[in-house]
Amino acid sequence: MTTATGSDLYYDPYDVDIDADPYPVFRRLRDDAPLYHNERYDFFAVSRFEDVERGLRDARGYVSGRGAVLELIQAGIEMPPGTLIFEDPPVHTIHRSLLSRVFTPRRVAALEPQIREFCAHSLDPLVGRSGFDLVADFAGEMPMRVISMLLGIPEADQVAVREMVDANLRTEAGKPMEVGEEVSFGSEMFADYIDWRMEHPSDDLMTELLHTEFEDEIGTTRTLTRDEALLYATVVAGAGNETTTRLIGWAGKVLAEHPDQRRELVADRALIPNAIEELLRYEPPPPHIGRYVPADVELHGQTVPAGSAMLFLVGSANRDERRYPDPDRFDIHRDIGQHLAFGYGIHFCLGASLARLEARIALDELLQRFPEWDVDLAHAQLAPTSTVRGWGTLPVVIP
């Protein structure tokens, strides 16, 4: 097993230079250290598609109850109940089932007219300009607006909610996220809104969450408590905001680098859904997913000891040549099959259909108004977070 000591092969999720282009390091990990240990930050990592897929599917061998973020796993903090993405069965099964009952395909699909209206509202004023910031002027706003449509958050509060969610994910470049003795995923903003919504029900996801009955882990039929509802709202808002913003940003950057394929999309919008899947494979917003190892695991002839943190390198798995022919080539016509950008197994992203809908509409509306663009990479900046990878600033130039 290759370690960080005694080898020039080094992977560090906080390293700014690696994060700028992790794929050469990912390839070396797949070839030379399919099970990797970083001694400085004391985590293990697997990088091949087969290992990542198998690990994400194994909810007993790699548990989520200690968090899915490296800093949270290593902090050893007890996650508050209702933190869906950081739960294990049977509680996770119950809470996910409840959210699935209200977060339905019908409710998601019904948002399309509103999403298109928001896109037009954001993009039309940019027509005729020589350029704009794709993230600040569009991608950074859209996902939080959509989540707010689902939750019923008033438009006047939506910008403040987005800023709060973003602030919770930001780190200092090159450093881990700071974690205190307790983790709070809620905010007074959501608390005030939930209290108000309990007294003023409406036709939105929040009202359904507050009033839908379910059977909990001890067999009691009840509705969510106020604290559980607060956690649900905050988790949904956080999970649906940052990742979709980064996906739209990657669409701008990658399609600028592949203008012939972009022109194909302009000519035939039916190609957009597969182009979104290829973008998710090629530049997945979550580069890795963390899990806690509760018991010794044998991998590649080595032992990962109980109590370890494991990173499943999604960004590497999605470019594994053992799975995809010529994986470093972007191809909107690729027969992709399965990728791991939304995870796998019981924690497969519940908002995947919403993210796909948002990305499809965003790209369609963008191409309709701007069939040609370049990216000013000299002034573009990756956003510093330890959970997602993508652009915080992405200036585009319109010819």
Side-chain angles (χ1 to χ4, degrees), residues 40-100:
R40 178 181 180 185
Y41 294 108
D42 191 22
F43 68 85
F44 289 83
V46 291
S47 48
R48 294 179 181 174
F49 187 99
E50 181 180 12
D51 292 330
V52 174
E53 179 189 51
R54 183 190 301 116
L56 291 175
R57 186 174 62 238
D58 184 359
R60 292 184 177 180
Y62 305 97
V63 302
S64 300
R66 292 277 293 269
V69 178
L70 180 59
E71 295 93 326
L72 295 180
I73 296 170
Q74 294 178 330
I77 297 172
E78 183 177 352
M79 296 294 146
T83 315
L84 183 68
I85 57 177
F86 300 154
E87 289 183 328
D88 299 307
V91 175
H92 171 266
T93 306
I94 294 167
H95 288 163
R96 184 181 176 95
S97 175
L98 172 61
L99 195 55
S100 297

Side-chain angles (χ1 to χ4, degrees), residues 261-281:
Q261 296 190 57
R262 182 183 60 205
R263 290 172 192 131
E264 286 190 72
L265 295 174
V266 171
D268 185 359
R269 304 300 174 81
L271 297 173
I272 289 179
N274 200 66
I276 298 299
E277 298 306 307
E278 175 68 344
L279 282 163
L280 286 162
R281 182 199 70 84

Side-chain angles (χ1 to χ4, degrees), residues 343-383:
Y344 193 67
I346 66 169
H347 284 281
F348 180 83
C349 178
L350 196 59
S353 60
L354 178 59
R356 286 173 165 133
L357 177 69
E358 290 181 75
R360 173 176 62 80
I361 296 172
L363 185 53
D364 187 21
E365 297 290 333
L366 188 67
L367 291 168
Q368 179 179 326
R369 294 164 178 80
F370 306 102
E372 299 282 338
W373 71 78
D374 293 312
V375 172
D376 180 8
L377 285 179
H379 295 94
Q381 292 183 337
L382 289 170

Side-chain angles (χ1 to χ4, degrees), residues 137-208:
D137 294 327
F138 182 46
E141 294 283 336
M142 177 183 169
M144 191 65 248
R145 299 282 187 174
V146 174
I147 291 296
S148 296
M149 294 173 195
L150 274 172
L151 296 177
I153 297 172
E155 185 173 352
D157 294 335
Q158 290 175 6
V159 173
V161 169
R162 176 180 59 80
E163 291 175 349
M164 178 272 297
V165 171
D166 286 350
N168 286 342
L169 294 172
R170 288 292 174 268
T171 63
E172 185 176 344
K175 295 183 179 181
M177 178 173 60
E178 293 186 5
V179 178
E181 294 182 0
E182 296 182 357
V183 175
S184 173
F185 295 97
S187 73
E188 284 308 308
M189 180 180 299
F190 280 114
D192 292 343
Y193 172 67
I194 287 173
D195 291 341
W196 184 84
R197 185 53 83 199
M198 291 179 73
E199 299 295 326
H200 303 83
S202 182
D203 182 22
D204 57 34
L205 183 147
M206 179 60 69
T207 299
E208 287 196 45

